[in-house]
Amino acid sequence: FQIDKYLYHMRLSEETLQEVAQRFGKEMEKGLGAETNPTSSVKMLPTFVRSTPDGTEDGDFLALDLGGTNFRVLRVKVSDNGLQKVEMENQIYAIPEELMRGSGVQLFDHIAECLANFMDKLKIKDKKLPLGFTFSFPCHQTKLDESILVTWTKGFKCSSVEGKDVVSMLRKSIKKRGDFDIDIVAVVNDTVGTMMTCGYDDHNCEVGLIVGTGTNACYMEEMRHIDLVEGDEGRMCINMEWGAFGDDGVLNDIRTEFDREIDMGSLNPGKQLFEKMISGMYMGELVRLILVKMAKEGLLFGGMLTPDLLTTGHFETRYVSAIEKEKEGLQKAHEILTKLGLEPSHEDCVATHRICQIVSTRSANLCGATLAAVLRRIKENKGVDRLRSTVAVDGSVYKKHPHFARRLHKTVRKLLPDCEIRFVRSEDGSGKGAAMVTAVAYRLAAQHKARQKILEALKLSHEQLLEVKQRMRIEMENGLGRETHTEATVKMLPTYVCSTPDGTEKGDFLALDLGGTNFRVLLVRVRNGMRRGVEMHNKIYSIPVEIMQGTGEELFDHIVHCISDFLEYMGMKGVSLPLGFTFSFPCQQNNLDEGILLKWTKGFKATGCEGEDVVNLLKEAIHRRDEFDLDVVAVVNDTVGTMMTCGYEDPYCEVGLIVGTGSNACYMEEMRNVELVEGEEGRMCVNMEWGAFGDNGCLDDIRTEFDLVVDELSLNPGKQRFEKMISGMYLGEIVRNILMDFTKRGLLFRGRISERLKTRGIFETKFLSQIESDCLALLQVRSILQHLGLESTCDDSIIVKEVCTVVARRAAQLCGAGMAAVVDKIRENRGLDFLKVTVGVDGTLYKLHPHFSTVMHETVKLLSPKCEVTFLQSEDGSGKGAALITAVACRIREAGQR
């Protein structure tokens, strides 16, 4: 009790520990920030280790471990044949005293000599093996394989090494010998090695901790928080160098007089203050100072002091471990105190035992507090309610002290009740760990190479895109020619729309928009003059499945019933208005007001419609109802409507483009080139139906295995091949097939294919837009993948994002190549050196995807340098557009009647 009172300041309450954890969290923030790092005491050094083992590592590796007067060379064989196995052989070599103080060149020549000797023994000199180098001195790392020595410690004083990259020095020494070659892949700190060793067996391991002679920790941090390294994606291991916590004074209120005394007498006063409170190098010394002070005050040993007790370093940390053992602790205390020349009473032994207990408990508690701060940060980074994580631990204090580990675990659990933390002892972090870092780096590089090789087929060169543009041009000519039209895949259908709006249109128009399970009726008021503009009213009606798949009469009667309801709703019963009909199914038009349905799509099956004129079917239904009369002026395709809507805003708009679920384009062609229609004068809008581009095999050289699979499993194999490479309905499927392929090859999701990933259509195109959104952290990519039932690591998320980018980029480039063919044809039609033209665009992919439009614009600019193309987003081409076509037709009709 007396001792507890005497050492009151060493016994830390839970509140104090929470406070320490909070302070350490702030220090971590400071170390990570570019502005605050220079003045922060906890340096938070990037290690360039970007991934932990996933258990599929494989191969033969060498490791060098240099951190003291001896150094080791190891050969580590990692095999993954379902039974993760690691085999090691190693040899210890001495570093003579004179080399530790000689020149750097001599030191590295000696290391290369020992390496050669080791490889000779194992008969592996002819192999070029990858090597990991554990170099346990303060370094500034700039790459995984580049590490600049800041200062020598531990008795080393080699000249001309400080400020230089130790890897290139070692490489020079090896090259100079010329009798073997190795590939130095990584320089590692022993703390990182500790984390990596355990990470091989436990994939939740993302923290490494050492509590031995010194102390340090590392953990996996999100790249977006590491200001000192370029890039925001993925994670990187941070070597915290946490021994220096408190060097700026933030722990002064909990440091005791004994801590100050130890610091004053150390080799580096004012430095590594946290380490001096918790690590093995100082624990015994703390106990000695307490014993001395209490003896001086007559509280122990009857006030007796001995020369041994007064000598720094004579009370070793291993004594603390011995004295705290359950059964023989007091007997050990007696032996040790007697050895120091004292004559301890039973009470003295009990008191010494209690002092050791207090000192080592404080050490474990402080270590637990800072560790809790690290784990809380990981939890916040991941945005989870409950963190499950593993900490890899090494060091003599953690491993040999009878109670340290248990106390540390208890503190962490107390401070973080909402986390499940597992502690695993690491075996040989500095040797096996270095090999593991190398094995992971090797696996990542090999997997990256394999993935890039697969994705290469989806990356189109400038030449390939020019080729696509030229082929599109050929197919357009074929579609326009009378002789070639029947065989052509790009049908270039005449729409009988011969003029874009000129701004003088006016009047009230009805529009019908039928293109799916819902359909709309609209009233569009077009004004000219001062109040020029368009005002719209509409109502949406559903079409029951039984009507979609019943008879044509039932379908059109239903449509007319809805028009009647709308007119009543608008209070316009009995008014005869001109009507434009957007009918988004494949039609052959022989006139503006005549559209012959070629075939139903999108789940419609109404009988007696295919091969019939839909305008007639609509007129008959109006007569049957005999309530009102409408003048059906135009049948319109939604692409043409898109062009017309934008044409009302911009007189240069002569092209329409849709890139949504499907894709299509239209443009104003010279009548003389539209051979299917009589007449040479003026222009006519041509509905290209370009989705079918490539159906004759002309794109086979750029279609990949993934395009083939998507096509084969679609509802219309062999048809609409261009559309299947660029439109929203299929991009997600292409991505899913690539992810499947990667997973089968073990390049993703640790090679495990989930049932969800095998499900067609789970990867909706909206996910592509979300995943590629710049403001989305990888965390959110992971939650999208989780929503799809795909358990992903951080690395997996980066890969998924890359696949989405490649697929969407190719789609945008192909779309751009098609567009380039269109604008160049308009330019050449008119014999111009330079064309200024606007494209009206609609469709979810174009509007919602974060990069699609940009990439497409760039591609058009690149492939058609003689055209200045502006893209204008269309608002409601299928509704407003149909009414505007009707308005233009009425304006022209009236002008003709005058």
Side-chain angles (χ1 to χ4, degrees):
F1 175 72
Q2 195 180 359
I3 295 217
D4 284 7
K5 206 165 145 189
Y6 193 83
L7 295 179
Y8 175 75
H9 289 300
M10 278 200 151
R11 300 176 60 217
L12 305 174
S13 67
E14 196 179 322
E15 287 73 41
T16 305
L17 292 174
Q18 285 284 16
E19 175 62 29
V20 170
Q22 252 163 348
R23 288 180 201 174
F24 188 67
K26 286 194 183 118
E27 291 297 313
M28 288 170 74
E29 283 284 338
K30 268 169 78 174
L32 288 169
E35 256 83 85
T36 43
N37 175 277
T39 56
S40 78
S41 50
V42 179
K43 280 298 173 205
M44 305 295 281
L45 305 170
T47 64
F48 295 86
V49 169
R50 293 168 188 270
S51 184
T52 49
D54 71 355
T56 64
E57 287 71 22
D58 206 353
D60 215 344
F61 304 94
L62 289 170
L64 271 186
D65 175 15
L66 176 65
T69 45
N70 289 333
F71 85 101
R72 286 188 306 157
V73 184
L74 305 92
R75 178 201 195 171
V76 182
K77 276 183 163 173
V78 185
S79 52
D80 164 46
N81 37 13
L83 321 152
Q84 298 176 9
K85 208 165 84 189
V86 179
E87 300 166 63
M88 301 206 296
E89 303 166 76
N90 74 51
Q91 171 108 27
I92 293 178
Y93 296 91
I95 296 179
E97 188 90 14
E98 66 271 15
L99 277 182
M100 288 171 69
R101 291 181 170 65
S103 78
V105 174
Q106 288 172 315
L107 173 71
F108 285 101
D109 284 353
H110 174 67
I111 292 173
E113 168 77 29
C114 299
L115 200 49
N117 167 280
F118 180 75
M119 291 172 81
D120 249 344
K121 274 191 183 159
L122 296 181
K123 301 190 172 41
I124 51 175
K125 249 182 167 173
D126 54 331
K127 294 183 176 174
K128 183 177 177 175
L129 293 180
L131 174 134
F133 184 11
T134 303
F135 188 73
S136 300
F137 298 92
C139 279
H140 169 59
Q141 216 162 336
T142 41
K143 293 201 291 236
L144 186 57
D145 63 347
E146 185 175 270
S147 196
I148 287 134
L149 176 66
V150 179
T151 49
W152 281 119
T153 52
K154 308 180 198 181
F156 276 77
K157 290 265 188 307
C158 298
S159 60
S160 33
V161 184
E162 291 180 348
K164 292 203 178 134
D165 169 27
V166 294
V167 175
S168 54
M169 292 192 79
L170 178 57
R171 280 186 182 135
K172 272 184 197 143
S173 293
I174 290 168
K175 201 172 177 187
K176 198 159 60 184
R177 296 181 57 88
D179 58 343
F180 70 93
D181 194 12
I182 50 173
D183 179 12
I184 305 175
V185 174
V187 197
V188 195
N189 158 299
D190 52 355
T191 321
V192 180
T194 298
M195 176 186 81
M196 294 300 262
T197 310
C198 292
Y200 185 67
D201 299 307
D202 181 333
H203 300 159
N204 280 329
C205 183
E206 48 196 344
V207 182
L209 168 66
I210 290 185
V211 198
T213 320
T215 179
N216 194 10
C218 69
Y219 73 104
M220 296 302 286
E221 175 58 89
E222 302 290 319
M223 277 291 286
R224 65 178 189 276
H225 296 148
I226 308 172
D227 287 357
L228 301 173
V229 183
E230 285 292 300
D232 283 341
E233 304 211 322
R235 301 197 299 170
M236 184 180 283
C237 179
I238 290 288
N239 161 22
M240 301 171 69
E241 292 294 345
W242 80 2
F245 175 38
D247 289 7
D248 56 357
V250 295
L251 294 179
N252 286 355
D253 55 341
I254 61 164
R255 288 175 68 225
T256 62
E257 55 183 304
F258 307 110
D259 295 308
R260 291 191 184 87
E261 200 175 330
I262 275 210
D263 180 43
M264 293 314 289
S266 69
L267 292 169
N268 53 351
K271 299 265 185 288
Q272 302 293 99
L273 296 183
F274 183 61
E275 182 167 83
K276 286 171 187 163
M277 292 169 85
I278 68 173
S279 82
M281 191 162 172
Y282 305 98
M283 201 182 279
E285 190 57 15
L286 272 171
V287 172
R288 187 187 71 80
L289 292 173
I290 295 166
L291 294 177
V292 168
K293 184 162 194 254
M294 290 184 77
K296 276 182 180 167
E297 292 175 20
L299 298 168
L300 285 176
F301 317 127
M304 177 182 162
L305 289 162
T306 66
D308 266 332
L309 184 63
L310 288 168
T311 310
T312 302
H314 270 206
F315 198 102
E316 297 172 39
T317 296
R318 62 193 173 94
Y319 295 171
V320 179
S321 298
I323 290 172
E324 282 194 69
K325 284 207 171 112
E326 291 295 335
K327 293 198 174 77
E328 69 263 35
L330 287 177
Q331 182 196 332
K332 281 282 181 215
H334 196 276
E335 282 171 26
I336 288 162
L337 294 170
T338 307
K339 211 165 96 180
L340 292 172
L342 297 158
E343 295 167 9
S345 66
H346 177 69
E347 281 73 25
D348 289 336
C349 293
V350 171
T352 305
H353 176 268
R354 182 66 184 143
I355 292 167
C356 288
Q357 225 174 13
I358 289 173
V359 169
S360 67
T361 300
R362 181 184 74 153
S363 170
N365 284 346
L366 284 171
C367 191
T370 46
L371 188 59
V374 175
L375 290 160
R376 180 171 292 130
R377 184 170 175 90
I378 293 174
K379 178 174 178 284
E380 284 165 8
N381 280 346
K382 290 187 171 179
V384 290
D385 293 334
R386 194 169 181 79
L387 175 72
R388 289 185 56 202
S389 193
T390 300
V391 178
V393 203
D394 204 347
S396 49
V397 173
Y398 183 87
K399 286 181 169 177
K400 293 184 176 158
H401 187 286
H403 308 296
F404 185 93
R406 185 178 50 77
R407 290 175 191 152
L408 171 74
H409 303 169
K410 192 175 162 189
T411 304
V412 171
R413 286 181 183 130
K414 209 186 290 177
L415 297 180
L416 290 177
D418 51 356
C419 297
E420 283 173 56
I421 308 299
R422 203 177 149 225
F423 291 84
V424 177
R425 284 177 166 212
S426 158
E427 297 311 321
D428 188 20
S430 47
K432 181 174 163 186
M436 268 307 151
V437 173
T438 309
V440 170
Y442 240 65
R443 164 177 68 77
L444 290 176
Q447 290 179 334
H448 180 72
K449 204 167 149 190
R451 285 192 301 267
Q452 291 311 315
K453 198 176 160 198
I454 295 166
L455 291 177
E456 211 43 54
L458 288 126
K459 292 178 180 172
L460 302 174
S461 65
H462 183 63
E463 291 68 38
Q464 283 174 305
L465 290 169
L466 266 177
E467 187 57 38
V468 171
K469 173 189 167 183
Q470 275 146 7
R471 290 177 198 172
M472 175 66 94
R473 175 65 181 263
I474 293 165
E475 295 302 311
M476 287 167 73
E477 304 282 1
N478 287 344
L480 289 168
R482 188 175 287 131
E483 305 300 311
T484 44
H485 176 82
T486 41
E487 295 303 308
T489 48
V490 179
K491 280 296 181 204
M492 307 295 282
L493 304 171
T495 63
Y496 295 87
V497 169
C498 296
S499 176
T500 50
D502 69 359
T504 64
E505 293 76 17
K506 64 177 198 293
D508 288 0
F509 305 93
L510 274 181
L512 292 187
D513 175 14
L514 177 66
T517 45
N518 287 335
F519 98 106
R520 288 187 305 157
V521 185
L522 304 92
L523 171 68
V524 181
R525 296 203 151 110
V526 184
R527 303 267 172 270
N528 65 2
M530 291 294 285
R531 292 171 46 236
R532 180 174 180 269
V534 177
E535 176 195 323
M536 303 206 296
H537 304 272
N538 73 55
K539 205 167 169 189
I540 295 175
Y541 298 91
S542 68
I543 300 179
V545 176
E546 60 273 16
I547 288 185
M548 280 167 69
Q549 301 181 353
T551 68
E553 280 197 0
E554 288 169 339
L555 174 64
F556 282 92
D557 283 347
H558 175 69
I559 290 173
V560 172
H561 168 72
C562 297
I563 297 173
S564 167
D565 172 82
F566 179 76
L567 289 172
E568 197 162 323
Y569 165 75
M570 292 298 295
M572 297 180 69
K573 260 288 169 63
V575 180
S576 174
L577 288 177
L579 176 138
F581 186 9
T582 302
F583 188 74
S584 301
F585 298 93
C587 277
Q588 183 200 331
Q589 271 187 274
N590 300 325
N591 247 315
L592 183 59
D593 62 353
E594 179 186 329
I596 311 246
L597 175 64
L598 299 177
K599 61 172 190 295
W600 281 120
T601 53
K602 311 180 198 181
F604 277 77
K605 289 209 177 63
T607 55
C609 296
E610 289 180 359
E612 296 294 324
D613 172 15
V614 294
V615 175
N616 263 338
L617 296 175
L618 180 63
K619 281 180 174 166
E620 284 167 8
I622 290 171
H623 289 148
R624 277 200 297 277
R625 193 170 178 94
D626 200 21
E627 251 181 44
F628 50 83
D629 200 19
L630 294 173
D631 171 15
V632 184
V633 174
V635 189
V636 192
N637 162 296
D638 51 356
T639 320
V640 184
T642 297
M643 177 185 81
M644 295 301 263
T645 313
C646 291
Y648 187 70
E649 308 297 330
D650 179 344
Y652 284 104
C653 182
E654 304 188 67
V655 186
L657 169 67
I658 288 186
V659 203
T661 321
S663 179
N664 194 10
C666 69
Y667 71 102
M668 296 304 286
E669 178 57 90
E670 305 301 312
M671 275 296 285
R672 64 175 186 276
N673 296 333
V674 186
E675 294 184 8
L676 297 179
V677 180
E678 290 298 312
E680 300 286 307
E681 289 304 306
R683 294 177 186 147
M684 180 181 284
C685 179
V686 168
N687 162 20
M688 295 173 68
E689 292 293 342
W690 82 359
F693 176 38
D695 289 4
N696 57 0
C698 72
L699 293 178
D700 286 1
D701 56 339
I702 62 163
R703 289 174 78 221
T704 64
E705 51 182 304
F706 309 110
D707 295 307
L708 299 177
V709 173
V710 169
D711 181 33
E712 275 162 27
L713 295 174
S714 68
L715 294 170
N716 52 349
K719 299 265 187 290
Q720 300 294 95
R721 290 180 186 178
F722 186 57
E723 180 168 80
K724 285 173 189 164
M725 292 166 88
I726 65 175
S727 82
M729 190 163 174
Y730 304 98
L731 295 189
E733 262 313 274
I734 298 174
V735 168
R736 188 184 68 82
N737 277 288
I738 297 171
L739 300 184
M740 288 257 291
D741 185 70
F742 278 5
T743 312
K744 281 179 189 154
R745 294 173 196 254
L747 305 174
L748 183 65
F749 300 138
R750 293 188 179 144
R752 296 177 199 142
I753 294 200
S754 62
E755 280 309 308
R756 287 286 292 166
L757 193 55
K758 292 182 193 164
T759 316
R760 281 187 55 210
I762 56 153
F763 226 98
E764 296 169 51
T765 302
K766 70 168 181 194
F767 290 141
L768 257 78
S769 295
Q770 286 169 2
I771 285 173
E772 274 201 73
S773 163
D774 292 327
C775 53
L776 260 196
L778 284 172
L779 205 62
Q780 287 145 299
V781 177
R782 281 178 82 169
S783 66
I784 291 172
L785 293 173
Q786 221 158 7
H787 170 74
L788 294 177
L790 303 172
E791 271 309 314
S792 71
T793 63
C794 184
D795 293 337
D796 291 335
S797 309
I798 295 177
I799 294 163
V800 170
K801 191 167 178 177
E802 187 190 7
V803 172
C804 291
T805 303
V806 169
V807 169
R809 184 176 176 80
R810 181 186 70 152
Q813 286 177 325
L814 285 171
C815 193
M819 228 344 87
V822 173
V823 294
D824 258 339
K825 178 152 184 10
I826 296 176
R827 183 180 63 77
E828 287 169 29
N829 281 346
R830 299 178 191 177
L832 298 171
D833 291 331
F834 187 78
L835 171 74
K836 188 173 173 352
V837 68
T838 299
V839 179
V841 202
D842 203 349
T844 46
L845 188 60
Y846 182 89
K847 285 182 171 176
L848 302 179
H849 191 281
H851 308 301
F852 188 94
S853 57
T854 317
V855 174
M856 189 186 99
H857 301 170
E858 281 166 9
T859 309
V860 176
K861 202 171 177 176
L862 212 62
L863 301 180
S864 297
K866 294 181 178 175
C867 299
E868 184 191 316
V869 186
T870 309
F871 291 86
L872 193 58
Q873 282 199 26
S874 150
E875 294 313 318
D876 189 20
S878 44
K880 187 169 157 184
L884 283 169
I885 291 173
T886 309
V888 170
C890 291
R891 180 196 82 204
I892 292 169
R893 192 161 67 181
E894 280 163 25
Q897 283 162 0
R898 281 200 218 108

